[in-house]
Amino acid sequence: MVWFWCVKLWKRICAETTTEINLLADSWKYILSGLIFQYIHGLAARGVHYLHRPGPTLQDVGFFLLPEFGQDKSYISETLFTFVFLSFIVWTFHPFIFKSKKIYTVLIWCRVLAFLVASQFLRIITFYSTQLPGPNYHCREGSKLARLPHPESVFEVLLINFPRGMTHGCGDLIFSSHMIFTLVFVLTYQKYGTKRCIKQLGWLIAVVQSFLIIASRKHYTVDVTVAWYTVNLVVFFLDKKLPELPDRTGGASFLLPLSTRDKDSKTKEENHKLLNGNSVDPPDWRQRTQVNGKILDDANLVHADATAMNGA
């Protein structure tokens, strides 16, 4: 029984891998561009650290309302962010394991990277416009990390002192990068996820993450506030411009490579249609659970089925 399950799982992983490779062959430029911009964003954050000048912590309403964690408890917000980050990655790769396949991993990451790049581009412009004295402990007066010495070579800047340079930066405040990732992940699952309880939990975690960032004195309240409405607006407008993800309720076998050479061109054509947001599903597939480009959650799916039966 276990052997049969393992064989079935292995076949599913192989079929899904082939499907995703076909999609990656047509969209690798978008994935690569998004990953390169992640480095550019880190490079920009590293560069503004050279411009940072420590000073008195600015007056902040969040600092008055939320107690200060202190350096010994600053790991709490990073732990929660790491949980959100890893959980989202695992979810995007769940079609390789689970039978219920609602998304394509390559296409969902094309979309996520587009949201991240647009938000990070606005963030770079903002924190280079005005450098505020960092509220974090290593950015305050007297800390050795508050000011970076003049770089000895260009390689010192290009290497961005990873990963320490990413976690101990100063000056890249408005707006919070942690909230960019958190909100993009939550908004993506809100649209393409299927579990209502996880959607509600995601928004709760985003709110808690906001409070933890302020309580850890990693950002001012304005950094978190600006991130909330900026990221939501970026996702709202950019989502309308991007091609919608296709519905894969009926399966993904049409993306698998065919044995005969004369059918290869047909598969490639179908993949192009898929990337452009055009469904290539045959008309006799079973009833779809995707409505207006949004995956229905468990509760709404039951309601949709009942409505369809009443209207039949």
Side-chain angles (χ1 to χ4, degrees):
M1 185 67 180
V2 177
W3 172 253
F4 175 76
W5 183 85
C6 292
V7 172
K8 187 176 181 181
L9 177 62
W10 174 249
K11 290 181 179 180
R12 183 183 305 159
I13 293 176
C14 292
E16 193 67 25
T17 301
T18 305
T19 300
E20 296 293 345
I21 290 176
N22 289 335
L23 293 175
L24 185 61
D26 286 326
S27 59
W28 66 269
K29 295 181 180 179
Y30 304 108
I31 298 290
L32 181 60
S33 300
L35 294 177
I36 291 177
F37 194 86
Q38 299 308 303
Y39 169 75
I40 296 176
H41 174 257
L43 190 64
R46 175 71 172 179
V48 79
H49 196 166
Y50 290 102
L51 304 177
H52 177 258
R53 295 296 178 264
T57 303
L58 302 179
Q59 183 174 348
D60 190 279
V61 63
F63 292 177
F64 286 112
L65 298 178
L66 297 176
E68 186 173 352
F69 276 172
Q71 292 184 354
D72 57 333
K73 296 181 180 180
S74 60
Y75 69 90
I76 298 178
S77 64
E78 290 297 330
T79 302
L80 182 60
F81 175 76
T82 302
F83 169 76
V84 173
F85 191 89
L86 295 179
S87 299
F88 183 80
I89 292 179
V90 170
W91 173 73
T92 59
F93 283 90
H94 83 273
F96 286 83
I97 304 297
F98 296 100
K99 187 176 182 179
S100 57
K101 310 167 188 177
K102 303 297 183 182
I103 61 171
Y104 295 99
T105 302
V106 170
L107 298 185
I108 204 73
W109 275 107
C110 286
R111 208 172 192 85
V112 168
L113 287 172
F115 297 150
L116 292 176
V117 168
S119 300
Q120 290 169 336
F121 178 76
L122 296 176
R123 181 175 188 260
I124 293 174
I125 296 177
T126 305
F127 67 63
Y128 265 105
S129 300
T130 302
Q131 290 82 48
L132 304 178
N136 211 335
Y137 302 102
H138 64 269
C139 298
R140 299 177 183 179
E141 192 70 53
S143 173
K144 295 181 179 180
L145 298 176
R147 295 188 181 188
L148 290 182
H150 188 75
E152 298 179 358
S153 64
V154 65
F155 295 102
E156 181 180 343
V157 180
L158 295 178
L159 292 178
I160 64 177
N161 191 23
F162 185 85
R164 185 175 179 83
M166 303 294 292
T167 59
H168 289 76
C170 298
D172 56 327
L173 293 175
I174 302 177
F175 41 95
S176 172
S177 179
H178 283 58
M179 290 307 302
I180 289 178
F181 281 91
T182 300
L183 291 173
V184 166
F185 293 165
V186 171
L187 288 168
T188 302
Y189 188 84
Q190 176 68 30
K191 183 173 183 179
Y192 297 108
T194 57
K195 303 295 183 181
R196 174 177 292 185
C197 59
I198 298 181
K199 295 178 182 180
Q200 296 172 346
L201 178 62
W203 286 111
L204 177 61
I205 290 178
V207 174
V208 173
Q209 179 72 33
S210 303
F211 291 148
L212 292 179
I213 290 175
I214 299 173
S216 301
R217 302 304 188 253
K218 295 181 178 180
H219 279 278
Y220 293 108
T221 305
V222 64
D223 307 336
V224 176
T225 303
V226 172
W228 267 93
Y229 62 74
T230 302
V231 175
N232 275 278
L233 288 174
V234 167
V235 173
F236 176 78
F237 287 106
L238 195 58
D239 186 64
K240 296 181 178 297
K241 300 296 182 181
L242 295 176
E244 188 51 70
L245 295 187
D247 174 27
R248 65 174 302 175
T249 305
S253 60
F254 62 90
L255 283 175
L256 299 180
L258 303 179
S259 57
T260 55
R261 182 176 302 179
D262 58 335
K263 293 183 179 180
D264 289 340
S265 58
K266 181 179 180 180
T267 301
K268 186 174 181 181
E269 179 182 357
E270 291 173 342
N271 288 341
H272 280 292
K273 291 181 179 179
L274 182 62
L275 291 173
N276 293 329
N278 299 326
S279 176
V280 294
D281 303 339
D284 58 341
W285 278 1
R286 62 189 180 187
Q287 182 179 352
R288 307 183 180 206
T289 59
Q290 184 174 355
V291 179
N292 295 330
K294 184 176 181 180
I295 301 296
L296 295 178
D297 53 36
D298 296 339
N300 290 334
L301 179 56
V302 176
H303 177 71
D305 291 340
T307 304
M309 293 178 61
N310 294 333

